[in-house]
Every structure is written in structure tokens, then in C-alpha cells.
Amino acid sequence: MCLAAFAMAGCGGKSVSAQGENAAAMAMPVQVQVVESKPIAQTTEYLSLLKSRHSASINPQVEGYITKIFVKSGDRVEAGAPLLQIDPLKQEATVNSQEASRLAQEANVNQAKINLDRAKKLWDAGVIPKSDLDNAQNSYDNSIAQLKALEHQVVQQQVELRYYKVSAPMAGIIGDVPVHVGDRVTVSTLLTTVDEPGALEAYIYVPAARAHDLRLGMPVHLLDTAGNSIADSQITFISPQVDSDTQTVLAKAAVPNTKDNLKISQQVRAQVVWGNASGPVVPVLAVTRINGQFFVFVAAKEANGTFARQRVVRVGDIVGNDYAVLAGLQPGDHLIVSGTQFLQDGAPVSEQVLASGTQSKTESAPKAGK
């Protein structure tokens, strides 16, 4: 029995040894990258609206019907250039009537002056009493006062007449013109806008729950639809109030726009940088997504060899070509970056460690889960 037991033990040892040799022979060569901890910017993207830092809303100062429109949207105008004409006929008639009254009063003043001069001569000759001279003086003074009042009224009506031709308050670009010839407008009607080209402001609406983290000077990156940076700025204004309808706080970021490649009222993605933190990062192409979860393969050294182990990871934002890893990996782990589409959990592998910053030439694209 001892001999039989010894023989069985010998056979068993040979079997285990053979299995180890077979596993080593079947090990798949893979390239691995040692997971490193790198500074990761903590960012959030919001949709922002670009507005001119110098914009004027044009409203009429008088009421009436539009008879002419001299500009169209997108036109560049100089300060004082005519924009619209409101029917001035009624106001012109008022000015003419006031001018006629002024001319009539001038005639009254002249007549009162003649009467006063005559009364002075008669008073000097002792022909009329002092009261007649005083009455002539009062009549002249009253006519002078009435003439000045009419002159002021004429000037006032002439100034108001100029309001019937709406002009640009500054040089800029004409915005939307929502009115048409024949429309009746009031002082509350928006005729158009004039936006000064050049510097813009990005209006960023941050949820109230995150607003307490906003600080003046925080970096902001404006991105195009492809995620490329088109301008760098910083927070220059934070509203002290929360919008009751949207429950957001308005933050503004100045945008130089020196190349004039951004347009007024353009919507862009604004990436607000809250701060920086260190954490592990992994190449995007080493991550597989299945059923909404993200997985990676790591090379794990175990008692009987090195095996590929699949791990669930929680990833954050993409930083360059890497994912920021929030959970599931630690710095120092050996991340498999090649041949992941052929691996299964527990498969034996042989490692080829890549130098830091080197990417595998055989990396596979991320696999989409069902």
C-alpha cells in the first residue's frame, strides 16, 4: 500500500508539473502598461451663448408707422447712420404750426415795441399819464415772454421730429430686424440691435446646486462640436441671484475673439475647470464597454502563473487619449493594452511591459455592448 501510495503521489506531481508547463506554453503574449497616477482636471461642460460685450437694443422714441427701412440684418453701419424711418407727416405739421405761431408772435412783439416807443414819447411830452406807459411796457414784456415760450416749443418739436428717423447709436453690426414697412410701432417695440464687433462674452448657466463652487478667475475652455478648444477664458462675472424659472446661476466669461471666428448669439460648449486632482488614467482603446459598464484587462501574477483578469472600472472624463479612472484600478496595476478582443477572464498571458507613454501598435477599438 505504501508503494502504491508513493506511485500515485509521483504520478500526481508529474500531472501538476505538466499542467503548469502547458499553461506557460499556451500563455498569450500581451503588451501591458503600468497604470500611473496623473493630474486630472475636474471639469464640467455647459452649453453657453455668446453675446456682444457692447450691444444696443434699438427702440423708437416716438409712435407711428414705419415708412422706410434702410438696413438689413448683418449690415455694418457707422454711428449716426439711418436705420428706419417712421412716418413724420403729423410731426412735421406740428412743427409747421408751432413755427407759424412763433412768427405771429414775432409780429405781436414788433407791434408791442412800436406801441411802447410811442407811449414813451407821449409820456415825455406830458400827453399821457404814467399808467398808459406802464400798460404799454407790460404788453411788450408779455409778448416777449410768449415769443420765447413759442421758440422753445418749436425747438422741442423739431428735436422730436428727428426721432422719426431712427439712427445707429454706435458703429456695429445690425442684428435681426423683426419689423416691416407699414408696421405701427410704439416706444416699447424692438426695432433691431446693433452689436459692436470684437470682444464677446460667454453666458454660462450653471445649476444652482453647483453654483457655490464658482469663483472669479476660474478657467473656462470654449469647445467646438468636435471637442476642440476654440478659445480660452476665465470667469469674469457671477450673478448673485438664482433664476427662479431655470434654477441656474449666470456666469460670464470674457472672450477676446481676436480672429473674429466666433459670432454673436452662437452656441458653444463651455468647459468649466473646477480644479485638479491626481488619479489613475488608462488609454481609451484599452477600455471595453459592455451593457453600459466599462471593463479592462489586467495581468495578475498568481501562484501558478500570470493570468488576464477582467475588472469593472468607473471612468470619468477623457483627458487627451486617456480615461480618468474613478474606481477599479490602482497605480501600479499592469493594464493589458493589446489583444484584448481575444482575451477571456483567466486566460494565461505573458507580459511585455511598455515604457511609460508608449502605446501599443496593436490596440483594438473599444467594443460596444449590446
Side-chain angles (χ1 to χ4, degrees):
M1 291 183 64
C2 292
L3 183 61
F6 178 78
M8 291 180 62
C11 291
K14 183 177 180 180
S15 176
V16 171
S17 176
Q19 288 178 0
E21 291 175 1
N22 290 337
M26 295 174 58
M28 177 179 174
V30 293
Q31 295 177 328
V32 300
Q33 181 176 310
V34 179
V35 177
E36 296 180 344
S37 180
K38 295 182 179 180
I40 302 171
Q42 297 175 321
T43 63
T44 307
E45 286 188 12
Y46 302 101
L47 191 63
S48 68
L49 184 66
L50 298 182
K51 296 187 180 182
S52 173
R53 297 179 65 182
H54 304 285
S55 179
S57 297
I58 310 301
N59 296 80
Q61 294 181 271
V62 294
E63 298 183 2
Y65 293 94
I66 295 177
T67 57
K68 292 180 181 179
I69 299 177
F70 302 107
V71 295
K72 63 182 182 298
S73 299
D75 285 352
R76 290 179 177 265
V77 296
E78 299 297 327
L83 304 179
L84 299 98
Q85 176 71 61
I86 299 174
D87 186 5
L89 294 179
K90 183 177 179 180
Q91 184 61 24
E92 287 175 348
T94 301
V95 171
N96 293 335
S97 176
Q98 291 288 346
E99 180 63 20
S101 298
R102 188 190 67 80
L103 292 175
Q105 186 59 29
E106 276 189 350
N108 292 336
V109 169
N110 292 334
Q111 184 60 46
K113 182 68 168 62
I114 293 172
N115 293 338
L116 177 60
D117 292 342
R118 182 184 299 114
K120 286 181 178 179
K121 292 178 180 179
L122 294 175
W123 161 253
D124 293 339
V127 176
I128 60 173
K130 184 66 166 57
S131 59
D132 289 349
L133 176 61
D134 292 341
N135 289 336
Q137 183 66 53
N138 289 336
S139 178
Y140 175 73
D141 292 341
N142 289 336
S143 61
I144 289 291
Q146 291 178 14
L147 177 61
K148 289 182 178 180
L150 287 172
E151 287 175 344
H152 287 308
Q153 291 178 13
V154 169
V155 171
Q156 179 182 353
Q157 296 302 326
Q158 288 174 339
V159 169
E160 188 167 348
L161 179 61
R162 290 200 289 270
Y163 294 152
Y164 284 79
K165 179 172 285 187
V166 182
S167 302
M170 62 184 183
I173 302 173
I174 299 298
D176 182 36
V177 184
V179 294
H180 306 85
V181 173
D183 288 352
R184 177 173 175 79
V185 296
T186 66
V187 293
S188 61
T189 304
L190 177 64
L191 301 179
T192 186
T193 58
V194 178
D195 300 302
E196 186 177 351
L200 303 174
E201 279 186 327
Y203 280 52
I204 308 167
Y205 297 92
V206 179
R210 195 68 195 270
H212 65 278
D213 294 325
L214 284 172
R215 299 290 184 274
L216 293 176
M218 291 180 65
V220 175
H221 305 298
L222 300 185
L223 312 175
D224 61 15
T225 53
N228 301 316
S229 178
I230 52 179
D232 295 325
S233 182
Q234 60 184 13
I235 299 295
T236 56
F237 168 81
I238 302 171
S239 174
Q241 296 180 338
V242 175
D243 188 294
S244 58
D245 295 328
T246 62
Q247 286 300 297
T248 58
V249 171
L250 171 63
K252 297 181 184 180
V255 183
N257 197 28
T258 53
K259 297 181 181 179
D260 201 25
N261 59 333
L262 299 174
K263 305 301 181 184
I264 297 168
S265 298
Q266 179 180 349
Q267 286 187 333
V268 296
R269 292 155 57 190
Q271 186 183 70
V272 179
V273 181
W274 304 102
N276 292 282
S278 295
V281 296
V282 297
V284 171
L285 295 179
V287 179
T288 303
R289 184 176 182 181
I290 304 174
N291 296 329
Q293 285 189 310
F294 294 88
F295 298 87
V296 297
F297 279 100
V298 296
K301 292 186 182 297
E302 300 178 4
N304 54 347
T306 303
F307 298 91
R309 295 301 180 188
Q310 191 175 43
R311 288 191 188 175
V312 178
V313 293
R314 185 161 57 91
V315 299
D317 296 330
I318 295 178
V319 183
N321 295 320
D322 299 328
Y323 270 123
V325 179
L326 307 180
L329 280 181
Q330 297 295 328
D333 287 342
H334 285 204
L335 175 74
I336 299 176
V337 295
S338 70
T340 54
Q341 71 270 36
F342 305 115
L343 290 176
Q344 291 184 347
D345 187 62
V349 294
S350 62
E351 299 180 81
Q352 178 188 351
V353 179
L354 295 176
S356 178
T358 304
Q359 289 187 351
S360 170
K361 295 181 180 180
T362 60
E363 288 174 340
S364 62
K367 295 181 287 185
K370 296 181 180 180

